[in-house]
Amino acid sequence: MISFADSVAKKPFILGEIGFEKYVDENIKRYEADPFASPDSQLSVYDYDYGVDMADVLIQSMNSGFDAVIAWGLDDAMHTNGDTGDKNQLKKWGMWNILGKELTGDAKEEDIRPWFYTWSIITRYFTEDMKIVKTTGLKLNKVRMVSGWSTNNHVTFSIVNNSSKNATFTLDTKNLQNKNFKKFIYSEKNRPVDGNNFPKAVQTNLSFTSDSKQITIPAKSVLLYTTYNY
């Protein structure tokens, strides 16, 4: 006998085209001053803070039960406003512009932008087979955490502090002992990169040897710990 619940196929719950409101005074002034940006642009992609904001919305989305989250967008060279091909009407939302020099005359437009840092480490180390584990007890203003446990016993957890003050809390580490972690940090003064400007762990071979650990996260920053060694 098959019940109704058994016969219903689970469909993925996807949050698409994440980005922040473009029609605000500061952003309007910025895209009006940029000869290559269309009104469909978010010029905060150049700013450090956008990396914190995008990590924050991603962490909240994962904790809310979404199966996938899609950022808008990857590359400024992908679209123009109205898809007319007008290089003076770029949709500037990307992590870079792969044709920055060709389209704008400025090779710096091809550089990796700050929000790539947080988005890339979170999406890389929260793997497809991970189950998001509910976290409790973190009651600090604008501080959020997401944790995942994979089918092959790997663990990743990430914390965002979107407040203007450093935050400290105690983490229950009883189930994390005998595991080796890498630690990444995205802060205004410390966000290490390798020779390709990709995020680099600030610490490796990190272990938790007691039942609890005090974690301090700087204001406007993101931490990520993972047992994956790639």
Side-chain angles (χ1 to χ4, degrees):
M1 181 175 180
I2 300 175
S3 69
F4 177 78
D6 291 334
S7 65
V8 176
K10 182 180 182 297
K11 295 183 179 180
F13 188 27
I14 299 172
L15 179 59
E17 297 191 4
I18 285 181
F20 283 79
E21 176 58 54
K22 58 195 173 186
Y23 296 127
V24 294
D25 289 344
E26 181 181 354
N27 192 56
I28 292 171
K29 291 177 183 177
R30 290 179 74 172
Y31 68 63
E32 286 180 344
D34 186 328
F36 298 101
S38 74
D40 190 353
S41 296
Q42 175 53 264
L43 277 299
S44 293
V45 294
Y46 294 98
D47 302 341
Y48 165 80
D49 283 358
Y50 200 70
V52 179
D53 291 338
M54 288 295 280
D56 196 351
V57 71
L58 180 53
I59 286 173
Q60 291 186 61
S61 300
M62 294 166 74
N63 281 330
S64 296
F66 284 96
D67 294 293
V69 183
I70 303 171
W72 183 264
L74 178 66
D75 186 348
D76 290 356
M78 293 171 65
H79 295 286
T80 57
N81 205 19
D83 290 324
T84 63
D86 183 353
K87 70 177 185 180
N88 299 106
Q89 287 292 305
L90 298 175
K91 291 189 177 186
K92 288 196 169 190
W93 290 87
M95 296 178 176
W96 49 68
N97 184 335
I98 198 171
L99 299 177
K101 185 176 181 180
E102 291 90 335
L103 294 175
T104 71
D106 185 359
K108 291 183 179 179
E109 287 290 306
E110 300 173 13
D111 291 348
I112 296 173
R113 294 173 187 157
W115 74 280
F116 168 83
Y117 201 108
T118 54
W119 196 270
S120 64
I121 59 175
I122 295 174
T123 56
R124 188 180 196 196
Y125 293 112
F126 280 90
T127 54
E128 183 181 5
D129 64 333
M130 272 191 167
K131 180 180 180 180
I132 302 302
V133 180
K134 184 177 180 180
T135 54
T136 59
L138 185 59
K139 298 179 180 180
L140 299 172
N141 185 41
K142 297 185 178 180
V143 180
R144 281 169 276 272
M145 177 177 175
V146 64
S147 304
W149 206 291
S150 76
T151 54
N152 56 358
N153 216 28
H154 278 289
V155 179
T156 299
F157 62 93
S158 185
I159 309 109
V160 59
N161 180 2
N162 211 348
S163 76
S164 59
K165 298 179 180 180
N166 294 353
T168 299
F169 61 93
T170 300
L171 179 68
D172 181 348
T173 56
K174 289 191 291 292
N175 294 324
L176 302 179
Q177 295 177 31
N178 301 317
K179 291 182 179 293
N180 288 322
F181 286 85
K182 294 195 304 182
K183 175 184 175 182
F184 292 84
I185 183 168
Y186 176 83
S187 68
E188 193 157 15
K189 295 181 179 180
N190 188 19
R191 46 187 191 275
V193 295
D194 64 15
N196 294 313
N197 286 321
F198 293 160
K200 180 180 178 181
V202 70
Q203 191 174 352
T204 58
N205 295 319
L206 173 66
S207 61
F208 298 108
T209 57
S210 61
D211 288 349
S212 63
K213 172 69 175 178
Q214 192 174 75
I215 304 289
T216 297
I217 179 169
K220 291 288 182 181
S221 68
V222 179
L223 295 178
L224 183 140
Y225 296 77
T226 185
T227 57
Y228 286 108
N229 57 15
Y230 54 78

